[in-house]
Each structure stands twice: as structure tokens, then as C-alpha cells.
Amino acid sequence: MADPAMHVKLLDSRILFLGAPGSGKGTQCKHLKAELGLPHLSTGDILRQGIAEGKPACLQAKSYIDSGNLVPDDLITVIFKERLVLPDCSRGFILDGFPRTLPQAESLGAMLKELRLPLKCVFYLVVDDQLIIERTTGRLGCINPKCGAVYHIKNAPPQVDGICDICGGELKQRDDDNADIVAERLKVYKEQTAPLIKYYKEQGMLQEINGARSQEEVYADIINGLRSCVATGGR
Ligand SMILES: [Zn+2]
């Protein structure tokens, strides 16, 4: 980031990322976190950490997840509220994976208003289903637990078919990466998220980003999008 004044302004960013599993959202959030130093609040990380710390709301969420149920909207909202009130969020944050439903988005809006920390930009990483299926189902992992290297049949193949370059271990496709499961995951995501897309579009906050390009190109668009949000004062 060449302009230091712009950099300081971007530090106040309060950003929400929407995008299907496999859209590359997590990677982009990590880049942004590294560059802007903002806390990256992903549902998975917050739950894992909260469970490890024995937080009651997170433990309650765990009991839903363990029994194969969705965590209720109210509960997930409480969990995020506990996180968003921490001092590190006062100068910006990146939300990833929450809100997932319209009621969650409405609760988030009310909560952030109360905290005087309204969202500035909402990015929606758009990637065609077929491409997500190709990206995720082509993943191969080394079965050696000490190695865990990840390859991709097309984009990052090992030198020898089925064998890890690093440790010589066997490479296997992950069970939850098979095409049917990925397609089902995408369908559920779309059904849940469609009302959210509409909601943020109506508020004039949504920026759609074409995620079917290189990580660098996608990231450049996100930074430009952030700049335009900041320049117009956000919402
Ligand atoms: Zn290996």
C-alpha cells in the first residue's frame, strides 16, 4: 500500500466476507489480516478458541454441532457479540462465516449499531459452482500425519502420481471433498445466503468480486473496493 494516509484509513475497516466454501474467501481474509492487522473473525476459529477456553455459549454450540444440528441464530449471535466487544475490534475487523442467515444479519446490524461500529463493506466472492467443485475435488492430501502436504491434481500436482514430493507418503482425496458432497454443500450455502445477498444489496453495501481468477487479481479488487468504501465514508 503506497499511500500511508490511505493505509491508516483502511485500518478502520469493518468488513464482511460472503462466499461459498471453496470460493477462496479464507485465503483472502488471511491476506487482508496480514496486511491491515485486523482481527479475522471466522466462525470456526471463534468456536474452537471459545471451546478451548470453556466459554459457556461456545460449549453449548459444540453440543449442537456434535449432535449434527445447526447452531441456533441466537446462540451464534451471542458468541460473536462476546468477541466483537473485545478492544481489538474497536479499530476494525473482518467477519468470515457470520452472519449466515438473514436473522443473524439483522441481529448483527443491531449489535454493531449499539457498539457504534457499523459495517463498512460487504464483499461477495462469486465463483461458479463448477469451478469450486473442480478446485476442491482435485485436492490431494498426504496421509502422513507429520507431513500433511496438500496437492491439486491439476493446479499443483505431485512429481510422481499419488506420492508426496516431500516425504514419499501416499496421497489421498479427502472424504468430504467428493463432488456430491461439495455440490450439496454449495446448494445449502446458496439457499441460506441468497437472502443475505439481497439484504446487503438493498443497503447498497454489497460489492461482488469475481473470484474465478488468481489470488493476486482477486486481492487487488478487494483492496480497490475497500478504498472506494473508505473514500465514500462507508455506511
Ligand atoms: Zn508427505
Side-chain angles (χ1 to χ4, degrees):
M1 216 154 299
D3 176 0
M6 180 55 88
H7 187 236
V8 169
K9 281 188 199 158
L10 290 184
L11 285 176
D12 281 322
S13 303
R14 291 179 293 274
I15 308 163
L16 165 63
F17 264 95
L18 299 171
S23 63
K25 177 168 56 87
T27 309
Q28 296 297 336
C29 288
K30 284 192 188 110
H31 281 311
L32 262 190
K33 177 190 176 179
E35 184 157 13
L36 301 179
L38 297 174
H40 171 205
L41 312 181
S42 86
T43 311
D45 290 347
I46 288 186
L47 284 177
R48 263 189 298 278
Q49 201 183 339
I51 290 164
E53 288 168 4
K55 286 193 175 150
C58 293
L59 293 173
Q60 209 185 331
K62 184 178 186 292
S63 68
Y64 282 99
I65 296 166
D66 287 348
S67 57
N69 292 305
L70 284 174
V71 181
D73 287 337
D74 289 353
L75 185 56
I76 200 82
T77 303
V78 166
I79 289 168
F80 268 84
K81 187 163 193 178
E82 287 178 352
R83 181 65 187 84
L84 284 162
V85 296
L86 297 183
D88 64 334
C89 291
S90 64
R91 41 174 289 266
F93 50 77
I94 307 165
L95 283 171
D96 170 14
F98 171 84
R100 193 109 193 219
T101 65
L102 190 54
Q104 287 178 14
E106 287 166 348
S107 308
L108 174 71
M111 183 198 304
L112 292 179
K113 196 173 174 189
E114 199 183 302
L115 295 169
R116 295 169 196 256
L117 297 172
L119 279 180
K120 282 192 176 173
C121 343
V122 180
F123 291 112
Y124 176 34
L125 222 49
V126 184
V127 184
D128 186 65
D129 280 6
Q130 198 48 47
L131 182 59
I132 290 187
I133 291 170
E134 242 170 64
R135 277 183 184 171
T136 43
T137 57
R139 278 198 296 218
L140 295 169
C142 175
I143 61 166
N144 174 1
K146 283 183 191 150
C147 173
V150 179
Y151 299 84
H152 190 280
I153 293 175
K154 239 167 63 180
N155 308 334
Q159 286 172 7
V160 180
D161 258 5
I163 304 289
C164 178
D165 292 350
I166 297 165
C167 75
E170 191 189 337
L171 300 180
K172 265 197 161 163
Q173 197 181 353
R174 286 183 4 191
D175 286 344
D176 59 351
D177 281 348
N178 89 49
D180 289 346
I181 293 174
V182 174
E184 179 59 26
R185 207 152 64 194
L186 288 173
K187 189 170 154 260
V188 171
Y189 181 82
K190 275 195 184 157
E191 281 168 7
Q192 276 186 339
T193 318
L196 279 188
I197 306 287
K198 188 164 170 267
Y199 175 76
Y200 288 116
K201 212 178 236 173
E202 281 167 2
Q203 297 189 17
M205 296 179 74
L206 193 77
Q207 296 196 45
E208 294 194 14
I209 306 268
N210 171 8
R213 295 169 301 157
S214 72
Q215 286 182 16
E216 292 75 19
E217 288 171 302
V218 173
Y219 187 69
D221 267 14
I222 291 169
I223 291 294
N224 284 333
L226 262 183
R227 285 205 173 109
S228 71
C229 274
V230 171
T232 57
R235 300 262 154 186

